[in-house]
Amino acid sequence: MGFEYAPAPESRSIVDIKPSYGLFVNGEFVDGHGKSFKTISPATEEVLAEVAEADESDVDAAVKAARRAYEKVWGPMPGRERAKYLYRIARIIQERSRELAVLESLDNGKPIKESRDVDVPTVAAHFFYYAGWADKLEYAGRGADPRPLGVAGQVIPWNFPLLMLAWKIAPALACGNTVVLKPAETTPLTALLFAEICQQADLPPGVVNIVTGAGATGQALVGHAGVDKVAFTGSTEVGKAIARAVAGTDKKVTLELGGKAANVVFDDAPLDQAVEGIVNGIFFNQGHVCCAGSRLLVQESVADELLAKLKRRMSTLRVGDPLDKNTDIGAINSAEQLAKIRDLSEIGESEGAGRWSPACDLPTTGFWFPPTLFTGVSQAHRIAREEIFGPVLSVLTFRTPSEAVEKANNTPYGLSAGVWTEKGSRILSMANQLRAGVVWANTFNKFDPTSPFGGFKESGYGREGGRHGLEAYLK
Amino acid sequence: MSGTSTIPDPGLEDATRSEASLRRFLHGLPGVDQVGAEARAAGLGTRSIKTSAKEFALDLAIRMVDLTTLEGQDTPGKVRALASKAMRPDPADPSCPSVAAVCVYPDMVATVKDTLGAAGGASGVHVAAVATAFPSGRAALDVKLADTRDAVEAGADEIDMVIDRGAFLSGRYQQVFDEIVATKRACARPSGDDAHLKVILETGELQTYDNVRRASWLAMMAGADFIKTSTGKVQPAATLPVTMIMLEAVRDFREQTGQMVGVKPAGGIRTAKDAIKYLVTVNEVAGQDWLDPDWFRFGASTLLNDLLMQRTKMRTGRYSGPDYFTLD
């Protein structure tokens, strides 16, 4: 006689997916010259749509359209007028939020409760926030007359397709730049719906261009001579290639790359909330989060108690249909990513770490991985060093605050960190010592458009969000 | 309900040995981060409970109601009506379960007993009485105990006592502890059929979640069978985050001692939708062992009719007007 939650699926009828999509160039959808590719739902492997691939000539046309729009329309336009367009886009995003959320969950595999309650509201908030900056740029601390850079070439990942689009496009447009954006190959659909929203908002043609495709399309965009600014979010490996490609040019670059964040739990932490923060830190968005708290550093004196609580909590996580409103963990985004998660997890086991997952029934089609934790992990294990980018947590212990800092910083990455303690002074001291762009105290994975986000070391450079985020798009 | 032991668990004996050790123990419990706790409760509130899950939840919630009237204007007539409703909440539908208990002031216990007894007494509805100078608890201990014994002698199955919040807030934990222990003794009957003790923390006056957690442990260590949020006379009464903190406490207490303690949010839960959020929280925080009227109750009056309306809607596909449900 258990309390079994009946299926509560969000209806997908709200979104009208076309059988095929072209590129969005100069305000219109046009055919691409490359081979088209299929985008699938990772939860069912069902083909959602056929999407055009942009080749070099398509990218060139998009960059030229962006250049024209920059020189003739968007660059000269007063900030308060640009703001009107951005506010309009933000409002349309709110009006069409259900549609965007359903499409995001279908194409990406993330649970509807996250796309509905986190991704889409944060997207709208980002546009509202930067709309507010558009006519106040002279107060941004960049001098009396800050100027836009020109055409921005932007390449974004598949983990937060629409949110990363907002992080890239909103500040660029607010500052007077025009953009050519390439969404990830596996998740192009919400960017294409965003293109429709640009049309609906009467955004002048060429201000936003969307070119779909895989790595080669991204390379063509980043390497195009007409691009003044490159912004990339994705893997460290590709980030390094981009840095090499633009070296020696006068392109400005911001990179937001991988992470292996430490979530540090002290013995005086609020344990039940720390458990929530750990779960949110690593299982939010199936762990496909560059700032995921993938290393749990717990003080030895509370390690057993905390792990018992964590395991009990993990047993209540509901894995399954991304469109079910009660789903906590959705599908892994692609077969390729699933293979990588499996590989690294097997390596973790063979290196001697203890693997544990709660009992859970995984669907038979689609790409799925259960929430997993590894205990007895040391700094020497690959699962403590390499970014897994999946729902896999490595648990390490420490004895003293200095040991916690040492271990937390002992990584090539430095995107984020978490500190759990009821002692305010310890939070401040840890925040000063942790080499990470964001340090969360008694929370994790909180995003706000007013707060800058970015990395140390191999996690990249430049900041997105807040006043700092304007610097990347102004000279 | 079970768990009649008044003796603190051996594992916690040290903690209850003196005022100082009690304070050390309660202040050594892990803190509660307010923002995180409220975010977690809000997250639980977004679960979508539909169709078969909703039917299950509505019937369970009805069986968990302590149908309550605690007014100066209560009369035997009013209380008889309430007791009748407790046995047959929906006269039009014999498949509708009865509620868990009727909760009244001690002087109304006999009236409730008579009404339940006149109907054969087979409904399983319990009689609960508030006692110990409810709702403020501002009386001498012997008065509180006399109040309790009155209710027990009149036949109450359950006693809802209030803690001395003044003593708790000024740090006199031993006094609060001793009063609960003494009230528990006053719940005893020579027959061995002791009344169960629910301890009201009045969380609206304790203010912080840290205090709620400490008061929960204090009450459990002193022998409470149930811990209850509120009298209903103070705002805010029951809230989802407060109930969640108490559910964490009973879960952790069982982990440590093996003993199960029940939880009763009371006051302010008026809609079926809210009640279902509480059941989701019970399910996911304490676990399904607590999804039983022996271990979880709702202290409520208006809630019952909304549960009945939703239940009828589930069965007939139509909403009926309020005149199709009895007023109590």
Side-chain angles (χ1 to χ4, degrees):
Chain A
M1 188 204 71
F3 189 7
E4 299 296 337
Y5 303 163
E10 179 69 55
S11 165
R12 59 185 281 181
S13 65
I14 189 164
V15 57
D16 183 19
I17 304 176
K18 298 188 180 74
S20 69
Y21 287 88
L23 312 170
F24 185 66
V25 176
N26 206 29
E28 286 171 3
F29 284 95
V30 298
D31 292 337
H33 293 91
K35 285 194 306 187
S36 63
F37 60 96
K38 294 179 170 68
T39 184
I40 62 168
S41 155
T44 58
E45 300 177 57
E46 163 204 356
V47 174
L48 296 171
E50 185 119 356
V51 180
E53 185 192 46
D55 71 0
E56 282 189 28
S57 67
D58 297 317
V59 169
D60 186 56
V63 172
K64 284 185 172 140
R67 174 65 57 191
R68 272 195 309 279
Y70 171 67
E71 285 172 357
K72 303 257 189 279
V73 188
W74 198 251
M77 187 184 283
R80 64 176 182 279
E81 296 300 319
R82 292 200 303 270
K84 288 182 188 170
Y85 286 103
L86 291 172
Y87 280 124
R88 198 179 294 161
I89 289 171
R91 285 193 299 268
I92 298 173
I93 288 168
Q94 287 184 320
E95 285 162 13
R96 301 179 70 172
S97 59
R98 188 61 61 94
E99 197 180 341
L100 288 163
V102 169
L103 188 59
E104 194 78 312
S105 283
L106 275 172
D107 202 17
N108 169 279
K110 66 175 67 198
I112 186 75
K113 85 169 186 193
E114 289 177 6
S115 53
R116 179 195 66 200
D117 296 345
V118 182
D119 293 53
V120 177
T122 316
V123 168
H126 226 82
F127 276 96
F128 276 118
Y129 175 74
Y130 279 110
W133 268 116
D135 63 347
K136 304 173 191 71
L137 296 173
E138 59 269 43
Y139 305 106
R142 303 287 298 167
D145 186 24
R147 306 296 308 152
L149 301 174
V151 175
Q154 305 176 321
V155 178
I156 58 169
W158 47 260
N159 58 341
F160 294 93
L162 194 62
L163 184 58
M164 290 303 104
L165 173 147
W167 281 26
K168 295 283 180 285
I169 291 184
L173 262 48
C175 294
N177 306 275
T178 56
V179 305
V180 179
L181 176 131
K182 187 194 89 68
E185 186 187 2
T186 57
T187 56
L189 295 184
T190 45
L192 294 164
L193 183 53
F194 178 80
E196 285 178 27
I197 289 173
C198 292
Q199 289 179 324
Q200 192 184 344
D202 279 330
L203 191 72
V207 174
V208 168
N209 303 274
I210 311 276
V211 291
T212 43
T217 309
Q219 267 175 7
L221 176 58
V222 167
H224 195 287
V227 166
D228 302 299
K229 151 82 191 183
V230 171
F232 172 74
T233 297
S235 72
T236 294
E237 191 190 344
V238 175
K240 285 177 177 174
I242 288 176
R244 277 192 292 270
V246 299
T249 70
D250 56 3
K251 291 174 189 171
K252 277 184 73 170
V253 186
T254 46
L255 300 173
E256 200 263 87
L257 310 175
K260 192 73 191 175
N263 210 351
V264 184
V265 180
F266 286 97
D267 60 2
D268 63 350
L271 288 185
D272 287 304
Q273 287 72 51
V275 166
E276 291 308 310
I278 294 162
V279 165
N280 185 36
I282 188 62
F283 301 123
F284 174 63
N285 205 33
Q286 298 74 249
H288 301 329
V289 185
C290 41
C291 53
S294 50
R295 285 185 298 152
L296 171 61
L297 288 174
V298 54
Q299 196 154 10
E300 273 189 40
S301 50
V302 287
D304 290 345
E305 187 181 353
L306 185 81
L307 279 179
K309 280 176 181 284
L310 179 60
K311 286 180 176 176
R312 183 170 48 214
R313 176 70 176 90
M314 283 171 68
S315 307
T316 67
L317 291 170
R318 304 171 64 86
V319 185
D321 179 7
L323 287 186
D324 192 304
K325 287 176 248 181
N326 292 326
T327 292
D328 298 314
I329 299 184
I332 302 301
N333 182 251
S334 65
E336 189 191 351
Q337 186 59 31
L338 179 59
K340 188 186 160 196
I341 297 168
R342 282 182 176 154
D343 280 355
L344 274 163
S345 298
E346 272 152 34
I347 289 166
E349 253 179 307
S350 67
E351 284 180 337
R355 178 176 180 164
W356 184 87
S357 290
C360 64
D361 295 331
L362 299 178
T364 47
T365 59
F367 316 127
W368 302 92
F369 199 85
T372 300
L373 67 78
F374 279 98
T375 49
V377 179
S378 79
Q379 289 288 92
H381 285 110
R382 280 182 65 188
I383 50 169
R385 308 206 63 78
E386 295 177 29
E387 186 177 37
I388 300 172
F389 222 62
V392 181
L393 178 67
S394 300
V395 184
L396 297 88
T397 58
F398 68 89
R399 296 160 296 177
T400 61
S402 59
E403 188 183 353
V405 170
E406 218 165 73
K407 284 184 166 169
N409 286 340
N410 181 217
T411 166
Y413 297 109
L415 196 52
S416 68
V419 179
W420 296 84
T421 170
E422 288 269 279
K423 193 175 274 187
S425 58
R426 182 175 285 155
I427 290 172
L428 297 176
S429 125
M430 289 295 291
N432 276 335
Q433 295 175 76
L434 290 168
R435 306 280 293 160
V438 181
V439 179
W440 283 294
N442 293 336
T443 188
F444 211 92
N445 273 344
K446 281 272 177 290
F447 303 100
D448 189 281
T450 62
S451 170
F453 184 90
F456 277 55
K457 301 187 280 187
E458 289 202 14
S459 291
Y461 42 79
R463 293 290 178 265
E464 296 182 289
R467 187 179 60 78
H468 305 69
L470 297 168
E471 293 179 13
Y473 292 98
L474 289 174
K475 62 183 170 204
Chain B
M1 292 193 291
S2 64
T4 50
S5 160
T6 54
I7 306 150
D9 185 83
L12 294 170
E13 239 169 46
D14 279 350
T16 56
R17 187 155 292 160
S18 70
E19 177 86 55
S21 61
L22 200 50
R23 169 189 304 273
R24 268 199 304 277
F25 176 82
L26 294 176
H27 287 254
L29 291 167
V32 182
D33 183 79
Q34 182 189 340
V35 175
E38 288 172 359
R40 169 70 172 139
L44 287 163
T46 67
R47 289 289 193 215
S48 181
I49 303 303
K50 303 284 183 208
T51 61
S52 58
K54 190 171 179 183
E55 277 176 22
F56 172 85
L58 289 173
D59 272 18
L60 182 58
I62 291 169
R63 291 167 52 221
M64 287 173 165
V65 168
D66 278 5
L67 197 58
T68 302
T69 185
L70 297 168
E71 303 294 337
Q73 60 188 347
D74 287 345
T75 58
K78 160 83 181 170
V79 168
R80 271 195 294 272
L82 201 70
S84 304
K85 178 158 184 172
M87 291 184 283
R88 284 179 307 279
D90 187 350
D93 182 355
S95 76
C96 180
S98 50
V99 306
V102 178
C103 183
V104 291
Y105 272 111
D107 59 335
M108 290 293 170
V109 168
T111 310
V112 180
K113 288 292 274 188
D114 287 349
T115 314
L116 297 177
S123 64
V125 175
H126 296 283
V127 187
V130 297
T132 67
F134 180 95
S136 69
R138 299 249 72 89
L141 179 59
D142 54 352
V143 175
K144 295 184 192 179
L145 296 179
D147 193 18
T148 307
R149 277 190 292 265
D150 270 358
V152 173
E153 275 162 26
D157 306 302
E158 301 168 3
I159 297 296
D160 290 25
M161 72 168 285
V162 291
I163 63 164
D164 184 336
R165 283 86 76 187
F168 182 89
L169 290 170
S170 58
R172 285 176 278 133
Y173 300 130
Q174 188 73 49
Q175 182 187 335
V176 180
F177 182 88
D178 291 344
E179 285 197 9
I180 298 170
V181 170
T183 311
K184 176 91 183 179
R185 284 202 194 103
C187 290
R189 286 195 178 90
S191 62
D193 180 24
D194 299 351
H196 290 287
L197 181 64
K198 304 197 197 99
V199 178
I200 301 172
L201 310 180
E202 197 64 298
T203 53
E205 290 184 347
L206 300 184
Q207 298 269 333
T208 69
Y209 296 128
D210 287 331
N211 276 344
V212 172
R213 175 168 287 176
R214 287 172 192 151
S216 299
W217 276 85
L218 185 62
M220 293 187 293
M221 291 192 295
D225 297 306
F226 254 76
I227 50 177
K228 175 175 168 184
T229 60
S230 325
T231 59
K233 305 292 183 191
V234 168
Q235 290 301 324
T239 67
L240 194 57
V242 155
T243 308
M244 183 187 80
I245 301 297
M246 291 166 65
L247 286 163
E248 287 170 359
V250 296
R251 175 197 72 194
D252 294 346
F253 187 77
R254 181 171 75 166
E255 200 102 309
Q256 190 160 340
T257 66
Q259 289 179 23
M260 243 170 110
V261 174
V263 176
K264 176 177 171 185
I269 306 166
R270 293 193 176 83
T271 63
K273 198 171 179 179
D274 277 346
I276 290 173
K277 289 180 186 179
Y278 280 82
L279 294 182
V280 165
T281 306
V282 174
N283 190 36
E284 297 198 30
V285 173
Q288 84 179 38
D289 291 352
W290 269 269
L291 280 177
D292 187 291
D294 280 353
W295 301 110
F296 194 78
R297 296 277 182 87
F298 291 106
S301 41
T302 47
L303 170 65
L304 181 58
N305 268 11
D306 197 51
L307 289 168
L308 295 173
M309 285 170 96
Q310 295 297 330
R311 186 176 185 275
T312 305
K313 197 264 167 183
M314 294 294 292
R315 282 163 183 254
T316 63
R318 296 184 307 279
Y319 280 107
S320 307
D323 285 346
Y324 291 85
F325 301 91
T326 54
L327 291 171
D328 34 73

